[in-house]
Amino acid sequence: MAQVQSEEQAVIDGLLSFVGQEVAPREAALGELMEDPRQLFKEDGREHPEVAEARRETRIASAGAGYYQMFCPESIGGSGLPLRLSVLCWEALHHQYGPGERLMYGTISHWASGPSVLWEDVSPYLAAEVRPNVVKGRMAGCFGMSEPDAGSDAWGMKTRATRDGDTWSITGSKQWTSFAPTADYVLAFAVTDPDMVERRRGGITCFYVPMSTPGVRVESVIRLYGEIGGREAILSFDDVRVPDEQRFGPEDQGFTLAMMGASQGRLYNAGRSIGLARWALERAVEYAQVRETGGQPIARHQAIQHMLADSATAIFAAKAMTLETAEKVDAGADARRELAMAKLFATNSAVDVFDRAMQVHGGMGLTNETRLHEGWKTLRTLRIADGTDEILRNTVARELLKGNTSF
Ligand SMILES: Cc1cc2nc3c(=O)[nH]c(=O)nc-3n(C[C@H](O)[C@H](O)[C@H](O)COP(=O)(O)OP(=O)(O)OC[C@H]3O[C@@H](n4cnc5c(N)ncnc54)[C@H](O)[C@@H]3O)c2cc1C
């Protein structure tokens, strides 16, 4: 159902009002620090600590207001609200505030860095000592799955964890770990049973590892798109010792855990793509009506109108399919085909919407002023991160060939 229900609208309105009153002024106070890369990034490419601190304050304020954890299970202290509503909330935030690494995007927990369903089945130690801090936003983590030789093919992972009594020793490296330079902990995935991994039947275990643990190092920050700094990093683990009570979820079942998170990630990425695409389309519609060539607004040109119409059509389709997918997940149905299609379609069509919006703006579309390039970069990244287009197509095709051909 594409229509937003009144109780859903009430949550969205509450969130936007909280963000407007509590987060927007906090972001404004950071001023150039958020806007100017020369101030935002330090020499080594890391973000300025003030920004990380502002993110922490935002999380804590949002958790206090009940928004940060609203889509987490009630069993861990969340509100258990449906994923369909999470799509609408991500869309609303991105539609309202547009491109960029904005503070407001930290008001809702992301499954990989904050509390989520992944935190349900953890050890008594993690449940008592760590989880409350994560749910309240006092701590945030990063997700260490990918490695130099293990991206799309996570089974190629080389990081190993070996058991010595009640302690594990982790050695290896991770790549692309988002927010690692500012994280409090990493959820580190490691091979614990090479035979199971060989047969692709498990054998990977996840561990909760505080970034301050001896042997954990942020080796370097990865810079993207010509930026002078970044949020992704390369991590190394050199005989990192963690007690078994820091094992995150069942032994050898880390891959299943990661896939659980990836499903939520597909909806998150689809939701924010729809919101950003709506923001860009509105900028294009406005500009087309004020920019004149040959004595008339460019909106009178059919070529421009068709670009706007194509973008609107794509957004409408992406939103309808994403909401239907979320409803399926909320109902407990197997939606892996739909999740793959929704992320694939929503991200790709949003990249196209930004490309058309830039074209409608002419040269202005390429300037920093319109911020269109920022949205394009974010969305272009999503064609690779959290499951590449090709891997998503593989998932869809695999389901079709199994006979899952009904719609
Ligand atoms: C900005 C960013 C943030 C990220 N954040 C995180 C993070 O926080 N934590 C984390 O663990 N990872 C993270 N990743 C890693 C991300 O999940 C991987 O980049 C992604 O899985 C692809 O892996 P790869 O880059 O090694 O590409 P590769 O796996 O080397 O793929 C290269 C190309 O080959 C294609 N390909 C590979 N295998 C197949 C196949 N079987 N069939 C068809 N085509 C195939 C791919 O689609 C791609 O086009 C992030 C990546 C980026 C870019």
Side-chain angles (χ1 to χ4, degrees), residues 152 225 266 269 272-273 343-352 375-393:
S152 304
Y225 299 114
R266 301 217 158 136
N269 283 316
R272 68 171 169 154
S273 298
K343 193 238 173 187
L344 178 68
F345 187 77
T347 52
N348 276 270
S349 49
V351 172
D352 294 343
W376 183 89
K377 282 193 296 192
T378 300
L379 294 160
R380 183 64 186 82
T381 306
L382 298 186
R383 290 191 51 208
I384 292 172
D386 287 340
T388 66
D389 285 359
E390 293 71 31
I391 294 300
L392 296 173
R393 286 193 174 93

Side-chain angles (χ1 to χ4, degrees), residues 46-47 52 55 112-113 140-144 174-187 209-212 216-222 230-237:
R46 290 169 185 248
E47 268 186 340
R55 279 210 195 92
S113 59
C142 58
F143 191 78
K174 295 288 165 189
Q175 182 167 279
W176 294 118
T177 321
S178 295
F179 292 104
T182 49
D184 298 299
Y185 63 86
V186 51
L187 294 182
V209 184
M211 295 297 283
S212 55
V216 179
R217 263 171 61 100
V218 175
E219 291 293 335
S220 60
V221 166
I222 303 174
R231 297 167 188 90
E232 278 69 40
I234 297 177
L235 294 179
S236 67
F237 298 79

